[in-house]
Amino acid sequence: KLDEIMSDYQARSELNQLNQSAFHHDTRISHDLYVVVDKSLSLSRQTDGLFDITIKPLVQIWRNTRKSGQTARPSEIERAREMVGFRKVLLNSKTQSIRFLKDGITLDLGGIGKGYACQEAIKEVTRAGIASAMVEGGGDLYCSKAPPSSKGWVIAMEGTSDKVTLVDRAMSTSGSTV
């Protein structure tokens, strides 16, 4: 259900429909999408834009560059940069709606969506009576209480001797191993 809401790979996802309509008018969004966008905008304010879900125009250039092997033109990058900026997104808590202040703004929840889904999955298994669980979703982990007779969930980093122990915490990884 959450993938159908937040995926930018599914043409009919709620996120992609939002990206097409939110400049033209206030767009009411689902509870889950509202929570994720609200948290994202809060993180954007806290990091002064270092975390920014409006990054999609630049992500699309990066994806195209990876696929084609051709470097984007500086003018193309500059046009995309004009479409980035969390302050160009207005969220209305009373109507649970969103509006973009500039045509071309598009959201990319790749930095937060899977983590939210993992957190929601932990809530579900906890409601089902499972006290200790770990959920993994494509490099994002969420661990609840420690397994019996242990101090926590030991997570080893592939290709290294690095380990981290998690209890009631999340972790996100990125990259590829060869």
Side-chain angles (χ1 to χ4, degrees):
K1 175 186 169 198
L2 293 175
D3 189 45
E4 291 171 4
I5 292 170
M6 292 185 252
S7 173
D8 71 339
Y9 289 98
Q10 293 187 34
R12 300 297 306 153
S13 72
E14 183 181 358
L15 175 66
N16 279 332
Q17 291 177 35
L18 167 70
N19 282 338
Q20 294 172 8
S21 66
F23 173 67
H24 303 292
H25 55 79
D26 288 357
T27 303
R28 188 164 162 68
I29 55 178
S30 67
H31 172 75
D32 288 308
L33 187 54
Y34 181 89
V35 168
V36 171
V37 171
D38 186 42
K39 180 64 175 175
S40 297
L41 294 176
S42 175
L43 289 169
S44 293
R45 287 187 294 275
Q46 290 172 32
T47 64
D48 196 29
L50 292 177
F51 180 85
D52 191 337
I53 59 173
T54 66
I55 196 75
K56 182 164 177 119
L58 289 169
V59 169
Q60 195 58 51
I61 288 174
W62 176 76
R63 286 178 181 169
N64 292 343
T65 298
R66 284 189 65 203
K67 189 184 288 187
S68 71
Q70 296 179 340
T71 304
R73 293 181 313 279
S75 61
E76 183 182 12
I77 295 169
E78 189 52 40
R79 272 194 312 276
R81 288 178 68 145
E82 291 173 9
M83 307 299 168
V84 175
F86 69 94
R87 291 179 181 90
K88 299 171 188 168
V89 177
L90 295 180
L91 201 56
N92 186 324
S93 61
K94 291 179 183 171
T95 60
Q96 197 169 304
S97 64
I98 190 168
R99 183 173 183 97
F100 301 156
L101 299 178
K102 184 169 179 63
D103 194 13
I105 296 289
T106 50
L107 305 183
D108 181 332
L109 302 177
I112 195 168
K114 286 190 293 181
Y116 177 77
C118 290
Q119 181 180 2
E120 291 301 298
I122 288 290
K123 287 179 185 177
E124 288 298 316
V125 298
T126 301
R127 276 191 276 263
I130 299 169
S132 180
M134 176 178 62
V135 174
E136 187 272 339
D140 293 328
L141 301 168
Y142 198 99
C143 301
S144 64
K145 303 215 179 312
S149 304
S150 78
K151 294 181 179 186
W153 294 90
V154 178
I155 311 300
M157 307 302 147
E158 187 175 346
T160 73
S161 59
D162 296 337
K163 295 179 183 177
V164 63
T165 302
L166 301 177
V167 177
D168 290 321
R169 294 280 184 262
M171 182 172 109
S172 182
T173 62
S174 180
S176 61
T177 56
V178 181

